[in-house]
Amino acid sequence: MVHYKVSYFPIRGAGEIARQILAYAGQDFEDNRIPKEEWPAIKPSTPFGQLPLLEVDGKVLAQSHAIARYLARQFGINGKCAWEEAQVNSVADQFKDYLNEVRPYFMVKMGFAEGDADALAKDVFVPGFKKHYGFFANFLKSSGSGYLVGDSLTFVDLLIAQHTSDLLAANPALLDEFPQFKAHQEKVHSNANIKKWLETRPVTPF
């Protein structure tokens, strides 16, 4: 039996997509949550000096989207053909661009940097959110299935549904302009295995 181990900090962040893919697949895995104070000693032994990491029978893979793509292919949620897989990857890459664009706001909001969170929300986050959720809305509309690509769940549905859920928890009115993503989040999170994971995972602020 294959042994999967996901190593990340004790938060959702970039490690959550790997956890959710494994949960969706009903796959047992070792959820290794590394305390901040232990990280400096571990960091030099990692491929790129960062987390998350996936270990598959002891073999190590780094980078959150590489991990997600590998697991999604293993468990059949990477698209039903090569074209769908490419579309899924394009949405995942654009989502990463979105997170990079709004990163200054979230770094201040979460207490990792100093700055004016209200000003960053207005000038950085809201414009970036509206622009990119507009892009993602086009994929939802094009698929017509309630999923972002094709007619079944893929890992980018998990990725974006979790982010939508986090945004709704912080500011429910934010999604008023994109009600289709409220429906998308509910659809994705109604999956029995995902629902169980969300109910039983450790509670973290982000």
Side-chain angles (χ1 to χ4, degrees), residues 122-177:
K122 179 182 176 183
D123 298 335
V124 176
F125 170 67
V126 172
F129 162 74
K130 289 185 176 182
K131 179 176 76 174
H132 287 86
Y133 264 64
F135 295 153
F136 304 143
N138 291 335
F139 280 83
L140 267 184
K141 183 178 180 180
S142 178
S143 79
S145 65
Y147 296 111
L148 285 155
V149 176
D151 61 3
S152 61
L153 183 141
T154 65
F155 83 87
V156 289
D157 292 301
L158 297 175
L159 197 64
I160 291 178
Q162 179 59 61
H163 187 66
T164 298
S165 179
D166 292 339
L167 295 178
L168 285 168
N171 181 7
L174 187 63
L175 272 292
D176 287 351
E177 189 174 331

Side-chain angles (χ1 to χ4, degrees), residues 48-68:
F48 303 124
Q50 60 191 32
L51 297 175
L53 297 176
L54 173 70
E55 294 178 54
V56 183
D57 287 340
K59 295 182 293 185
V60 178
L61 180 64
Q63 288 289 350
S64 61
H65 279 211
I67 292 167

Side-chain angles (χ1 to χ4, degrees), residues 14-193:
E16 183 65 10
I17 183 60
R19 298 170 184 148
Q20 287 198 20
I21 294 171
L22 289 161
Y24 169 84
Q27 176 67 52
D28 289 335
F29 68 98
E30 184 180 348
D31 186 10
N32 180 35
R33 296 177 180 244
I34 298 172
K36 184 178 179 181
E37 59 272 16
E38 294 180 12
W39 170 235
I42 297 169
K43 184 175 181 178
S45 67
T46 64
F48 303 124
Q50 60 191 32
L51 297 175
L53 297 176
L54 173 70
E55 294 178 54
V56 183
D57 287 340
K59 295 182 293 185
V60 178
L61 180 64
Q63 288 289 350
S64 61
H65 279 211
I67 292 167
R69 287 169 174 141
Y70 170 79
L71 291 174
R73 180 174 286 186
Q74 290 295 104
F75 298 113
I77 56 169
N78 62 321
K80 291 183 176 179
C81 63
W83 180 255
E84 283 192 5
E85 183 175 14
Q87 290 291 301
V88 167
N89 288 338
S90 76
V91 175
D93 287 345
Q94 191 62 38
F95 184 76
K96 184 172 278 191
D97 285 352
Y98 159 64
L99 291 184
N100 285 336
E101 188 171 319
V102 300
R103 178 180 172 83
Y105 164 72
F106 282 110
M107 289 296 287
V108 171
K109 186 71 174 176
M110 294 186 295
F112 295 127
E114 294 185 1
D116 187 333
D118 291 338
L120 286 168
K122 179 182 176 183
D123 298 335
V124 176
F125 170 67
V126 172
F129 162 74
K130 289 185 176 182
K131 179 176 76 174
H132 287 86
Y133 264 64
F135 295 153
F136 304 143
N138 291 335
F139 280 83
L140 267 184
K141 183 178 180 180
S142 178
S143 79
S145 65
Y147 296 111
L148 285 155
V149 176
D151 61 3
S152 61
L153 183 141
T154 65
F155 83 87
V156 289
D157 292 301
L158 297 175
L159 197 64
I160 291 178
Q162 179 59 61
H163 187 66
T164 298
S165 179
D166 292 339
L167 295 178
L168 285 168
N171 181 7
L174 187 63
L175 272 292
D176 287 351
E177 189 174 331
F178 297 100
Q180 65 270 55
F181 282 99
K182 291 183 182 180
H184 174 260
Q185 180 261 321
E186 290 170 0
K187 182 180 181 73
V188 173
H189 287 176
S190 69
N191 173 274
N193 283 354

